[in-house]
Amino acid sequence: MKPINVGLLGIGTVGGGTWTVLNRNEEEITRRAGRPIRISHVADRNLEHARTLTGGKAKVTDDAYAVVNDPEVDIVVELIGGYTVAKDLVLKAIENGKHVVTANKALLAVHGNEIFAAAQQKGVMVAFEAAVAGGIPIIKALREGLSANRIQWLAGIINGTTNFILSEMRDKGLAFAEVLAEAQRLGYAEADPTFDIEGVDAAHKATLMASIAFGIPVQFDRCHIEGISKLDAADIKYAEELGYRIKLLGIAKRKEAGVELRVHPTLIPSKRLIANVEGAMNAVLVWGDAVGATLYYGKGAGAEPTASAVIADLVDVTRLHTADPLNRVPHLAFQPDQLSDLPILSMDEVETAYYLRLSAADKPGVLADITRILADLSISIDAMMQKEPAEGESQTDVVILSHVAREKDVNAAIARIEALSSISGKVTRIRMEALNG
Ligand code: HSE
């Protein structure tokens, strides 16, 4: 049967993995797809590398536009990354009536609404399994496997670099900067790892998952983002003593008034399965009203794990490209005219539990002052831990775990606690999630 022709934009790590896996598993993939999937065109700036890898089996060019404009190409796989050229190429491919497979979470989180609308109008598919959690088929699960459910919330470890750093900080008691240097040496973190450590990469992925889970437009600009660069090793140690681990979570929760969409370091009970996801691995916990909790675990990055997701999309597109566009799976799981205008809530309205650490003078009445402030703002204390002051010190660490409270009230309490003369420095505030339904 005539192969479907794929134009690959970028044959670096993921593109190379896609080439390798497609060739290695050609027979199985063809049996699944119903016809061969063939990378017929490759565009890459490094022509020599592209030619060596493809060994004359694909047309190689350094002009990506030549690929998206080539009438022989049926599906464009965009693995260039970034917002500008990639956006232009994807829109051009769509305009030319080609289906698109992309791993570009940044592009879709920021420009997804425009890209999906263009694809809808043109009757082509834009598939993006590889954009979220690498090899874990989480888009498929949220969009199709869980479609009977009213999804209430999801929480994911969706950035391998930061999870590796947090695991090492906890395991070895090291400071953030030391582990970051190690992560860079091992090649986990980029030379400029800002998007990873400041939570932006996780926010891109959380934004896409929230849209599919709740049927809302993509709204990256409404996602609250905090990374791990300011996390203190002391908090990881205290959390452990209290039975918690700190993970960088991407969280999307449906509330009556709107959706909470946030990325931040989070204390989670050590006994939860997801708390034990270590190193560069990813995991996403999804709670649906019919199914309850489901957990998806696997490699969130790397050549072949990400290629696994890219190729699954290629198989889907190959199976469905002759179907009536109206009968295909909608890009954001819900029919485009059925997207909801449920707003993304401001952080002031977020409700969760909190870990607070403060440095207090070791003298009578200090705890009474703190608990009075919390009580005045209706913040209930769940647990409290005070350390003996170090030899010769008069200040001591006090850690308070609250019950669920409103972020606005917690911020007001923190401001009042910081103003007490017995408190030195800033109060450390880390949000907590029980993740139990
Ligand atoms: N930088 C990402 C991570 C790679 O560390 O998980 C996959 O998106």
Side-chain angles (χ1 to χ4, degrees), residues 105 130-131 133-134 158-162 188 190 196 201 205 280 282 300-302 306:
K105 58 252 165 175
I158 42 182
N159 182 268
T161 304
T162 44
Y188 290 127
E190 305 290 329
D196 291 317
D201 176 72
K205 297 165 182 169
N282 281 199
T306 313

Side-chain angles (χ1 to χ4, degrees), residues 206-240:
T207 298
L208 291 172
M209 289 196 293
S211 290
I212 294 171
F214 308 131
I216 54 174
V218 177
Q219 294 163 76
F220 173 70
D221 56 343
R222 298 285 299 144
C223 183
H224 174 82
I225 312 173
E226 277 173 45
I228 63 165
S229 60
K230 293 186 183 71
L231 209 56
D232 198 313
D235 295 310
I236 294 179
K237 188 164 70 69
Y238 290 151
E240 183 109 49

